[in-house]
C-alpha cells in the first residue's frame, strides 16, 4: 500500500506541516523530493504558498498536533544507476546509518560470535535474545499454531499487503499495526499457546520481558511481529518498506534444505543487491527501506518469527514525537482505521 503526505506550506522558505497522509507522491515528487528534518519534530502552522509546488486546496487542521513533522524540499534523486539505496515509500529520516543487512552471514561468525554491523549494542542484544529462545519458540509454533489449537491466520486482514505475494503466505500475529493483536486469553489466542514468544516480544504486561520488548517498534501503525509462513512455490514481490525508522528481524524456525541437507538457494531473500539464505536459529537483521524480495521455490514451508524494532539511531525523544504524530494522523482518519 502506497501511503504518502498531503502538506500545507508554512512560509516561502519551504517548510511544511503534515495535514494528511494521502497524496505527497502525486504532488511534490514532480517538483523535488522531500525529507524529514533531522531535528526534534516541531509544530508548524500554515502560511504562504511556495512557487513551483502544486498543492491540494485543503484547509489546515484547526488544532495541529503538538509534535507534527517539518518537511523540507531536498535535492534531486539520482535514479537508474543500478546502485541500491534505502528508498522508503512514505517517510524518510536523514542522518541514520543504513545497510541492507545488519548481520553478517553465518559463515562469517568468528570467535566473538555473530558479527553485527557497526558493532551496534542494541542490535547485538536483540539478536542474542532472539537466538537464545529460538528452539522453544519453534516448539510453540509447531505445537500451538500447527498443533491442535485453532489459531486464526490473519494475513488477509492486513490492509495493503495482499497484492505483494504469489502462492501461499500466512501470518499469525503478536503485534499488528503497532498494537498487540486481538487476544482472548483462551486456546484460540496466540499469546496463550505461545507464551515464550509473547513475553519476548511484548514484554511488560507479560511479567517482564527483555531487551526486545523495550525496543519493539510499537504504537506506530507500521510495527509488526508475527509468524511468517511462506508456502512452497511461493514468493513476495520486490518492494520497499514505508519508512527507515525501523529495522526488521527474521528469526528462522523452519527452513527447507536441499537434497544434501545444506542451505538452499531456492529459498532466500534479497535486500538491495545482497542475497541471503536463512539458517534455522540464526537471526537476520535487515533494513526493509531497501528494495527487497523473498522466494521459496521448494516444496516445503519456510517459517520465521518476524518482528520490528526501532532503528537504533532514532533518539528516545524522537520516538515519542513520532508516535504522537502518527496517533494524530490516525485519529484524523488519514491513515489506517480509527
Amino acid at each position: 500500500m502506497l501511503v504518502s503526505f498531503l502538506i500545507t506550506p508554512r512560509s516561502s522558505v519551504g517548510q511544511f506541516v503534515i495535514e494528511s497522509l494521502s497524496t505527497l507522491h502525486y504532488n511534490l515528487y514532480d517538483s523535488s523530493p522531500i525529507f524529514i528534518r533531522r531535528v526534534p519534530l516541531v509544530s508548524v502552522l500554515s502560511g504562504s504558498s511556495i512557487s513551483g509546488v502544486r498543492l491540494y486546496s485543503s484547509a489546515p487542521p484547526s488544532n495541529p498536533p503538538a509534535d507534527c513533522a517539518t518537511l523540507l524540499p531536498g535535492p534531486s534523486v539520482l535514479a537508474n544507476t543500478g546502485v541500491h539505496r534505502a528508498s522508503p515509500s512514505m517517510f524518510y529520516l536523514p542522518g541514520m546509518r543504513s545497510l541492507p543487512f545488519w548481520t553478517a552471514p553465518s559463515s562469517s561468525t568468528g570467535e566473538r560470535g555473530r558479527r553485527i554491523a557497526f558493532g551496534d549494542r542494541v542490535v547485538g542484544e536483540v539478536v542474542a535474545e532472539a537466538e537464545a529462545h529460538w528452539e522453544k519458540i519453534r516448539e510453540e509454533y509447531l505445537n500451538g499454531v500447527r498443533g491442535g489449537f485453532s489459531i486464526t491466520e490473519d494475513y488477509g486482514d492486513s490492509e495493503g499487503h495482499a497484492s505483494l505475494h504469489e502462492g501461499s503466505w500466512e501470518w499469525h500475529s503478536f503485534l499488528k499495526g503497532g498494537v498487540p493483536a486481538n487476544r482472548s486469553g483462551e486456546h484460540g489466542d496466540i499469546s496463550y499457546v505461545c507464551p515464550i514468544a509473547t513475553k519476548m516480544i511484548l514484554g511488560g504486561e507479560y511479567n517482564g520481558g527483555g531487551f526486545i520488548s523495550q525496543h519493539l517498534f510499537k504504537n506506530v501503525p507500521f510495527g509488526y511481529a508475527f509468524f511468517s509462513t511462506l508456502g512452497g512455490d511461493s514468493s513476495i514481490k520486490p518492494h520497499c518498506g514505508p519508512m527507515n525508522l525501523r529495522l526488521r528481524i527474521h528469526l528462522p524456525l523452519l527452513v527447507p534444505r536441499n537434497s544434501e541437507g545444506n542451505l538452499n538457494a531456492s529459498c532466500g531473500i534479497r535486500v538491495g543487491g545482497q542475497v541471503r539464505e536463512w539458517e534455522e536459529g540464526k537471526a537476520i537483521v535487515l533494513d526493509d527501506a531497501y528494495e527487497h524480495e523473498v522466494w521459496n521455490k521448494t516444496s516445503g514451508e519456510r517459517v520465521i518469527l518476524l518482528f520490528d524494532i526501532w532503528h537504533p539511531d532514532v533518539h528516545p525523544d524522537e520516538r515519542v514525537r513520532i508516535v504522537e504524530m502518527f496517533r494524530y494522523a490516525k485519529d484524523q482518519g488519514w491513515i489506517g482505521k480509527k
Side-chain angles (χ1 to χ4, degrees), residues 32 45 51 58 80 96 99 125 132 150 173 180 187 194-195 209 227 237 244 266-267 294 304 315 323:
S32 61
L45 300 175
S51 175
S58 178
N80 300 320
M96 307 221 288
L99 286 173
E125 292 283 354
S150 300
S173 299
H187 286 207
C194 301
F227 288 124
K237 301 173 185 178
N244 67 334
S266 295
C267 185
V294 172
I304 62 174
H315 190 276
V323 167

Side-chain angles (χ1 to χ4, degrees), residues 24-204:
L24 170 64
H25 287 265
Y26 309 106
N27 289 280
L28 292 179
Y29 274 14
D30 57 357
S31 174
S32 61
I34 60 180
F35 300 84
I36 306 303
R37 189 170 63 179
R38 190 74 170 113
V39 296
L41 305 180
V42 297
S43 175
V44 294
L45 300 175
S46 63
S48 60
S49 61
I50 295 177
S51 175
V53 177
R54 293 189 293 114
L55 297 170
Y56 275 61
S57 56
S58 178
S62 57
N63 295 303
D67 292 308
C68 59
T70 299
L71 304 183
L72 301 177
S76 298
V77 172
L78 180 64
N80 300 320
T81 64
V83 176
H84 292 277
R85 298 188 184 279
S87 304
S89 60
M90 188 192 76
F91 191 105
Y92 180 71
L93 189 63
M96 307 221 288
R97 295 170 295 171
S98 176
L99 286 173
F101 289 102
W102 281 57
T103 43
S106 297
S107 59
S108 301
T109 302
E111 295 180 359
R112 296 184 179 180
R114 298 298 304 278
R115 290 177 56 194
I116 305 297
F118 311 108
D120 188 87
R121 183 186 68 87
V122 170
V123 176
E125 292 283 354
V126 166
V127 167
E129 183 178 354
E131 293 183 349
H133 293 94
W134 85 271
E135 290 179 300
K136 292 181 179 179
I137 292 173
R138 180 173 67 174
E139 183 177 350
E140 289 184 340
Y141 174 85
L142 292 173
N143 294 337
V145 177
R146 284 290 183 257
F149 297 95
S150 300
I151 307 300
T152 302
E153 188 276 329
D154 56 5
Y155 170 76
D157 298 332
S158 302
E159 182 180 353
H161 291 91
S163 62
L164 281 179
H165 79 289
E166 295 180 350
S168 172
W169 189 18
E170 293 183 358
W171 293 19
H172 295 88
S173 299
F174 297 89
L175 186 79
K176 197 169 185 180
V179 298
N182 292 333
R183 301 183 307 277
S184 64
E186 301 176 351
H187 286 207
D189 177 353
I190 196 167
S191 66
Y192 179 89
V193 300
C194 301
I196 294 174
T198 299
K199 181 178 179 181
M200 183 184 78
I201 293 168
L202 298 180

Side-chain angles (χ1 to χ4, degrees), residues 101 103 114 126-127 130-131 134 169 200 226 228 230 236 239 247-253 255 268-271 276-288 292-294 302-309:
F101 289 102
T103 43
R114 298 298 304 278
V126 166
V127 167
E131 293 183 349
W134 85 271
W169 189 18
M200 183 184 78
F226 57 92
S228 172
L230 189 66
I236 302 172
H239 64 287
L247 294 179
R248 177 154 285 184
I249 287 75
H250 287 187
L251 180 63
L253 305 177
V255 181
I269 178 172
R270 175 184 65 83
V271 182
R276 300 277 178 87
E277 293 83 37
W278 295 278
E279 182 177 354
E280 292 177 1
K282 300 295 184 182
I284 291 177
V285 181
L286 60 103
D287 184 343
D288 75 331
H292 57 287
E293 62 178 322
V294 172
R302 182 238 56 184
V303 181
I304 62 174
L305 175 60
L306 179 154
F307 59 91
D308 297 323
I309 63 170

